[in-house]
Amino acid sequence: METALTWGRDHLAVIIAIVAAVLALIGAILSRAETRKQRRILHENLRHTVDTQSLAWGNQAIALLGQAAMFARTRKHQANDAAFLQQRINLMLALSTTVERGRLFFPNIDPDKKGTEKEGVYRGA
């Protein structure tokens, strides 16, 4: 027993270095696990954000299409042609903007095969 204590005192710096290295290794492993966990959480948050925004876009598109359908059905009841034309332009602009925004959520995966007769910007549409 006394020999072990003497050996421990003589090699105290080595023992401290080994313990420090083991603790550093454990810390590195725990840090890596936490980084992976944070990366998964970030990925899930991003996925949730995209899903939420695409659902909001879908709701907006449905509402806008309903508005356009009602606008078309009530054409004969609109007496002011200038107001009708202005409202039509606004509706067309809103529809065009909504379609373009949808392209951000649902990009054309294989643009070389779909819509090859169209210009590059309009392929896949």
Side-chain angles (χ1 to χ4, degrees):
M1 179 80 164
E2 207 171 300
T3 354
L5 289 175
T6 305
W7 182 86
R9 266 188 246 125
D10 293 340
H11 297 92
L12 185 61
V14 174
I15 294 171
I16 290 174
I18 291 172
V19 169
V22 168
L23 290 176
L25 183 63
I26 291 171
I29 291 170
L30 292 175
S31 175
R32 184 173 184 209
E34 184 63 27
T35 301
R36 283 184 175 179
K37 179 181 170 187
Q38 291 299 322
R39 194 172 289 148
R40 277 193 301 265
I41 289 172
L42 183 64
H43 186 260
E44 286 301 317
N45 286 340
L46 181 62
R47 184 181 304 189
H48 176 72
T49 301
V50 169
D51 288 348
T52 301
Q53 288 181 356
S54 65
L55 286 173
W57 170 83
N59 290 334
Q60 178 189 8
I62 290 168
L64 193 55
L65 288 172
Q67 183 181 355
M70 188 56 65
F71 179 73
R73 283 189 203 127
T74 59
R75 169 59 179 121
K76 60 184 172 189
H77 301 296
Q78 297 181 18
N80 187 346
D81 284 339
F84 170 79
L85 291 176
Q86 185 59 48
Q87 192 174 2
R88 185 181 76 175
I89 288 170
N90 291 342
L91 195 55
M92 290 171 60
L93 180 63
L95 284 167
S96 177
T97 303
T98 302
V99 167
E100 292 304 321
R101 189 166 172 238
R103 290 178 202 269
L104 296 174
F105 291 113
F106 309 105
N108 188 7
I109 294 175
D110 199 358
D112 296 332
K113 292 185 179 177
K114 175 123 172 109
T116 54
E117 72 282 357
K118 300 178 184 177
E119 292 181 40
V121 173
Y122 300 105
R123 287 189 184 168

